[in-house]
């Protein structure tokens, strides 16, 4: 027999959890299979208990996406029977025993951590690049002879617009060709587009290259969690995920601190030359340290090699996808849109996070002018105005990880857990956001000591993290096998909001002033405080009445 098949049957819950971490729906093959592989015709010989008939004859016939009715137990028998039949099929290609060196889970720890560190470094750099040149915005406006306040904000936030669309293409490409070719391609194109931004001779050219930087810069955000899940067992994954999450949390806040000093010393273009140099170094590190980690692609290559060596054209990978490339793109693009506009839960949670994310980029696009005009800070130190957001977000990350898990585990032990319990920890975040906005706005208006508004933005950063993280985990719990599409819908809406809403921020402050301008934002944020309360009380009922189907 050309291959040895081993392993224990994966539960539905394991497949869903790993797929969510990898950023795709659970009907796409992951390292341990796919839910769609369990689909059978109604005339098949699988066990058809009353519970299974209630569910239907496959995941695509679930009664409803939001009702969260399928339990692990309801398909456990089918999963076991399915896996047993596969294990006995000599044409199924799997790993050659539990120590197969081709399996990324069996790599040495130095090799694993080399991969994790390079992916974490890239994940830190690309969000950093989104805001590092913020202190140089006045210089760019002067050099390009522009006084348009809309463009002043858009050339910063257009990068986030790329985050909305790039990963929709990057994710399915990685599932077809593997993670490694996508990383390499995105690294090279990101460097090219960064050079394009550095040598731009006009505003239009600069904005186009910034957008393309954002599209390609979204690659480590879309693929990084999946890479870690490919090589680290679940019980040992916490530290690696924590290191990887530093990038999205601190990158946008550290960038302007570096950019402030660099702009003063070398000019705004050197922010992009620095990113080019560092990303080039990381790209070389990728080429040296990284290997393919995505099990379905590795096994597909193995099956292809064995077909050639043995002449047995019936050999197929155990994780071979039943989805065509066209279907993968439909899953990645069409399904999130249908979920965003067809699900009240997905829409309102996404709206809440979108408003919060837009506020973050309003602050990003205005901090430089605020601290230069109100506190006479020079371009060299104006980047330090971002420290409050960074510290607040970091504290929020630790609080969410600690108390969020405690709350959920308590309800699981009591036996009354439901997805809405994920939103309990979101409640304080809803109060911190408007408090921070009022604090920041009126302290700047009153010319108080510079530390006072920075402390206020610390509250904003804390509230931001306490909104994002519970929202994502809630969407995973509600939509289970289609969790990645729900999170993609959330990402698209919040990125669009972050790119477009800040365009009017300079005009808003000019008309209302910093006090009332930020108070307007605070009032809108305060009006959204009831959302987690409403979902805690009515979320389960909304899910049960839902008619959303794909």
């Amino acid at each position: 027999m050309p291959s040895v098949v081993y392993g224990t049957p994966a539960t539905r819950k394991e497949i869903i959890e790993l797929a969510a971490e990898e950023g795709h729906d659970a009907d796409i093959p992951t390292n341990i299979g796919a839910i769609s592989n369990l689909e059978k015709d109604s005339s098949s010989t699988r066990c058809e208990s009353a519970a299974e008939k209630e569910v239907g004859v496959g995941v695509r016939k679930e009664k409803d996406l939001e009702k969260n009715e399928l339990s692990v137990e309801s398909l456990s028998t089918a999963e076991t029977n399915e896996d047993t039949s596969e294990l006995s099929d000599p044409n199924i290609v799997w790993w050659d025993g539990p120590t197969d060196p081709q399996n990324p889970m069996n790599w040495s720890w130095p090799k694993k951590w080399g991969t994790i560190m390079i992916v974490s470094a890239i994940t830190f750099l690309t969000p950093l690049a989104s805001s590092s040149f913020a202190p140089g915005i006045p210089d760019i406006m002067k050099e390009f002879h522009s006084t348009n306040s809309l463009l002043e904000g858009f050339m910063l936030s257009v990068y986030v617009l790329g985050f909305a669309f790039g990963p929709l293409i990057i994710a399915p490409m990685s599932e077809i060709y593997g993670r490694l070719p996508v990383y390499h391609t995105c690294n090279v194109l990101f460097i090219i587009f960064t050079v394009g931004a550095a040598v731009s001779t006009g505003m239009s050219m600069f904005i186009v290259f910034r957008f393309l930087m954002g599209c390609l810069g979204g690659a480590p955000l879309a693929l990084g969690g999946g890479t870690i899940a490919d090589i680290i067992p679940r019980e040992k994954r916490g530290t690696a995920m924590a290191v990887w999450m530093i990038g999205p949390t601190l990158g946008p806040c550290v960038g302007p601190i570096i950019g402030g000093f660099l702009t003063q010393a070398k000019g705004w273009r050197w922010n992009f030359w620095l990113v080019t140099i560092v990303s080039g170094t990381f790209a070389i590190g990728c080429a040296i340290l990284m290997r393919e980690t995505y099990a379905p692609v590795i096994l597909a290559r193995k099956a292809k090699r064995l077909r050639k060596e043995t002449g047995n054209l019936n050999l197929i990978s155990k994780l071979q996808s039943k989805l065509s490339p066209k279907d993968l793109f439909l899953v990645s693009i069409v399904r999130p849109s249908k979920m965003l506009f067809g699900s009240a839960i997905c829409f309102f949670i996404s709206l809440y996070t979108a408003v919060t994310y837009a506020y973050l980029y309003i602050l990003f696009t205005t901090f430089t002018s605020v601290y230069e005009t109100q506190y006479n800070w020079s371009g060299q130190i104006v980047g330090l105005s971002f420290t409050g957001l960074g510290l607040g977000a970091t504290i929020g990350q630790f609080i969410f990880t600690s108390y969020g898990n405690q709350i959920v585990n308590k309800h699981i032990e009591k036996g009354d857990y439901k997805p809405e319990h994920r939103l309990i920890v979101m409640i304080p975040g809803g109060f911190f956001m408007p408090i921070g906005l009022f604090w920041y706005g009126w302290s700047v208006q009153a010319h108080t000591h510079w530390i006072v508004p920075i402390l206020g933005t610390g509250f904003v950063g804390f509230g931001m993290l306490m909104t994002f993280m519970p929202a994502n985990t809630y969407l995973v719990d509600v939509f289970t096998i289609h969790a990645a599409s729900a999170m993609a819908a959330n990402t698209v809406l919040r990125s669009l909001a972050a790119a477009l809403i800040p365009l009017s921020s300079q005009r808003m402050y000019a008309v209302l002033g910093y006090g009332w301008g930020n108070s307007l934002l605070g009032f809108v944020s305060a009006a959204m405080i009831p959302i987690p309360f409403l979902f805690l009380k009515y979320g389960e009922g909304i899910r049960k009445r839902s008619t959303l189907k794909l």
Side-chain angles (χ1 to χ4, degrees):
M1 188 170 66
S3 62
V4 177
V5 182
Y6 86 99
T8 57
T11 66
R12 180 177 184 273
K13 182 174 182 290
E14 288 173 336
I15 295 173
I16 290 171
E17 288 177 351
L18 187 56
E21 290 174 348
E22 293 184 353
H24 58 74
D25 289 338
D27 54 3
I28 296 172
T30 187
N31 294 345
I32 52 178
I35 299 297
S36 59
N37 289 342
L38 303 178
E39 293 182 292
K40 295 286 182 180
D41 187 83
S42 58
S43 62
S44 70
T45 58
R46 61 174 283 186
C47 175
E48 291 186 350
S49 65
E52 286 175 304
K53 291 178 180 178
E54 173 68 17
V55 172
V57 291
V59 170
R60 296 189 188 279
K61 296 183 180 180
E62 282 184 274
K63 292 178 67 178
D64 193 276
L65 288 179
E66 296 177 351
K67 293 179 182 178
N68 202 21
E69 292 174 331
L70 281 178
S71 65
V72 175
E73 293 79 8
S74 66
L75 286 178
S76 59
T77 302
E79 288 169 348
T80 303
N81 292 344
E82 175 82 4
D83 236 277
T84 301
S85 64
E86 286 187 349
L87 289 171
S88 61
D89 188 344
N91 291 320
I92 297 296
V93 177
W94 191 232
W95 305 117
D96 296 333
T99 59
D100 187 349
Q102 293 186 70
N103 186 347
M105 285 288 182
N106 294 327
W107 288 357
S108 66
W109 279 104
K111 186 175 180 179
K112 289 183 177 184
W113 274 100
T115 300
I116 291 169
M117 294 310 296
I118 195 67
V119 170
S120 298
I122 299 172
T123 310
F124 180 79
L125 177 65
T126 54
L128 179 147
S130 72
S131 59
S132 62
F133 81 104
I137 288 178
D139 294 343
I140 299 174
M141 298 294 289
K142 183 177 180 181
E143 182 171 334
F144 292 155
H145 308 291
S146 175
T147 57
N148 190 323
S149 61
L150 291 178
L151 289 178
E152 185 175 357
F154 189 60
M155 64 181 174
L156 180 68
S157 60
V158 69
Y159 190 94
V160 188
L161 195 62
F163 277 179
F165 297 105
L168 293 178
I169 306 298
I170 290 168
M173 293 297 284
S174 73
E175 288 146 14
I176 298 170
Y177 300 107
R179 304 198 198 282
L180 195 61
V182 176
Y183 273 123
H184 290 335
T185 302
C186 290
N187 285 341
V188 171
L189 292 177
F190 181 78
I191 293 169
I192 292 172
F193 296 143
T194 304
V195 171
V199 301
S200 294
T201 56
M203 185 66 75
S204 298
M205 179 179 177
F206 180 79
I207 288 176
V208 168
F209 279 118
R210 280 282 293 172
F211 171 73
L212 294 174
M213 283 177 65
C215 289
L216 279 302
L221 298 173
L223 305 179
T227 300
I228 293 172
D230 289 342
I231 61 179
I232 305 292
R234 183 180 293 107
E235 62 274 9
K236 299 179 181 179
R237 201 173 292 159
T239 302
M241 292 297 290
V243 171
W244 178 68
M245 281 298 297
I246 291 174
T249 303
L250 290 184
C253 301
V254 173
I257 298 174
I258 298 172
F261 290 95
L262 193 58
T263 299
Q264 184 73 14
K266 293 289 187 178
W268 67 267
R269 293 181 189 273
W270 262 94
N271 287 291
F272 295 95
W273 289 123
L274 177 64
V275 171
T276 300
I277 293 168
V278 177
S279 59
T281 303
F282 290 164
I284 294 172
C286 281
I288 296 172
L289 295 175
M290 292 184 68
R291 297 293 181 268
E292 184 57 63
T293 64
Y294 191 45
V297 169
I298 296 173
L299 289 170
R301 293 172 183 170
K302 180 179 180 180
K304 181 179 180 181
R305 174 176 56 81
L306 290 173
R307 285 195 297 269
K308 184 176 181 180
E309 292 176 355
T310 65
N312 182 0
L313 301 181
N314 294 320
L315 292 173
I316 60 170
S317 163
K318 184 173 182 287
L319 301 180
Q320 180 170 307
S321 175
K322 295 181 180 179
L323 297 175
S324 67
K326 178 182 177 181
D327 289 334
L328 283 176
F329 279 103
L330 290 176
V331 165
S332 299
I333 297 173
V334 176
R335 185 183 283 173
S337 300
K338 293 173 70 173
M339 295 180 77
L340 181 62
F341 297 107
S343 164
I345 286 177
C346 187
F347 177 77
F348 283 107
I349 290 294
S350 299
L351 178 65
Y352 194 6
T353 57
V355 170
T356 303
Y357 206 56
Y359 286 177
L360 176 66
Y361 274 84
I362 287 176
L363 298 181
F364 278 163
T365 56
T366 58
F367 269 170
T368 299
S369 60
V370 167
Y371 282 88
E372 284 184 345
T373 58
Q374 297 297 98
Y375 293 97
N376 298 316
W377 283 17
S378 67
Q380 187 172 9
I381 64 171
V382 73
L384 296 174
S385 59
F386 291 76
T387 54
L389 282 172
L391 290 173
T394 302
I395 295 171
Q397 184 78 49
F398 283 111
I399 296 295
F400 166 77
T401 302
S402 176
Y403 288 96
N405 289 339
Q406 287 183 24
I407 291 171
V408 170
N409 291 335
K410 182 185 71 174
H411 284 283
I412 290 176
E413 291 174 0
K414 290 173 62 178
D416 64 348
Y417 173 75
K418 57 184 179 180
E420 284 70 31
H421 289 133
R422 294 282 187 185
L423 300 181
I424 294 174
V425 75
M426 183 188 280
I427 292 172
F431 287 96
F432 272 81
M433 280 294 296
I435 290 173
L437 290 166
F438 292 135
W439 185 333
Y440 164 72
W442 287 107
S443 60
V444 167
Q445 185 79 27
H447 292 273
T448 59
H449 189 273
W450 56 265
I451 193 63
V452 179
I454 287 180
L455 290 173
T457 58
F459 274 64
V460 175
F462 179 82
M464 174 190 70
L465 251 293
M466 297 296 280
T467 300
F468 292 161
M469 300 304 290
N472 283 336
T473 54
Y474 176 61
L475 290 175
V476 170
D477 279 3
V478 169
F479 291 98
T480 58
I481 66 168
H482 299 117
S485 288
M487 289 190 289
N490 179 293
T491 299
V492 169
L493 187 61
R494 79 174 188 230
S495 297
L496 287 172
L500 301 177
I501 292 177
L503 299 182
S504 60
S505 56
Q506 294 284 14
R507 179 63 178 167
M508 176 188 69
Y509 287 139
V511 173
L512 299 177
Y514 296 118
W516 283 111
N518 284 288
S519 293
L520 174 62
L521 303 181
F523 288 135
V524 174
S525 182
M528 302 185 78
I529 289 176
I531 287 180
F533 288 99
L534 292 173
F535 274 104
L536 278 169
K537 185 172 183 180
Y538 301 109
E540 187 175 11
I542 293 173
R543 287 190 285 112
K544 289 181 177 179
R545 292 191 298 271
S546 171
T547 58
L548 175 64
K549 294 182 177 64
L550 294 179

